[in-house]
Structures are given as structure tokens and as C-alpha cells.
Amino acid sequence: MMTETELPTTVQSILIGLQLIALGVFLYFIWPLVKSERWKEKFVENKQALSIIIVFVFILIFVFGLGAFFDAFFPVERLDTPASSR
């Protein structure tokens, strides 16, 4: 099974280009809907929605903090296989 690091550079470039084109098409179709919404009324002036957003941001910061803590203090140890078994 191949990983993305084993792909040729041209194939990687083509895949990245396709993803950027897909993002552009997505934004082209979505932008009128995003632009027509009244975001301030929905999320900033609505106290319940604002509090839910704040809680989600705190949860996101907490999860990233836990990930950074475990990456810093309990790094992944790679087990090297002996050269004879390769």
C-alpha cells in the first residue's frame, strides 16, 4: 500500500490542484448564501447561540492543549526493526 509520501511529485501537484479547484467551486456556490445571512443577529445578539459558540471554542482549546501536552511530555516512540528482518 502506498502512502502520500511515496507518490510522484506530479501526482501530488495534480491532487493539490484538484482540491484547490474543488474549494473554489464550493466557495462560488456557497458565497451568495453566506453573504445574504444576517450573522450578527443570529450569533452575536442571540445570547444562547453566543454562549454555545464560546463553549465550543473552550472545548477546542482544551482538546488542542491536551494534544500539545501529550505530544510534549509523552512523545511517540518509533520502534526500529532490525536490518536483517527487512
Side-chain angles (χ1 to χ4, degrees):
M1 181 156 92
M2 283 180 40
T3 63
E4 68 274 359
T5 56
E6 296 172 352
L7 290 175
T9 307
T10 54
V11 175
Q12 286 181 0
S13 301
I14 290 171
L15 290 175
I16 291 171
L18 284 174
Q19 291 173 355
L20 290 175
I21 291 170
L23 176 66
V25 169
F26 174 75
L27 290 176
Y28 175 76
F29 285 118
I30 267 318
W31 184 249
L33 298 172
V34 170
K35 193 176 178 183
S36 67
E37 290 291 333
R38 294 181 289 201
W39 297 101
K40 187 173 182 184
E41 290 177 9
K42 281 188 171 185
F43 297 109
V44 177
E45 295 171 359
N46 183 352
K47 299 301 177 189
Q48 186 175 7
L50 183 62
S51 64
I52 290 172
I53 290 172
I54 291 171
V55 167
F56 280 138
V57 168
F58 281 150
I59 290 171
L60 186 67
I61 291 170
F62 178 73
V63 168
F64 276 121
L66 276 177
F69 173 81
F70 281 104
D71 284 343
F73 293 106
F74 303 103
V76 175
E77 295 180 15
R78 304 219 183 264
L79 299 175
D80 292 329
T81 57
S84 60
S85 66
R86 290 185 193 168

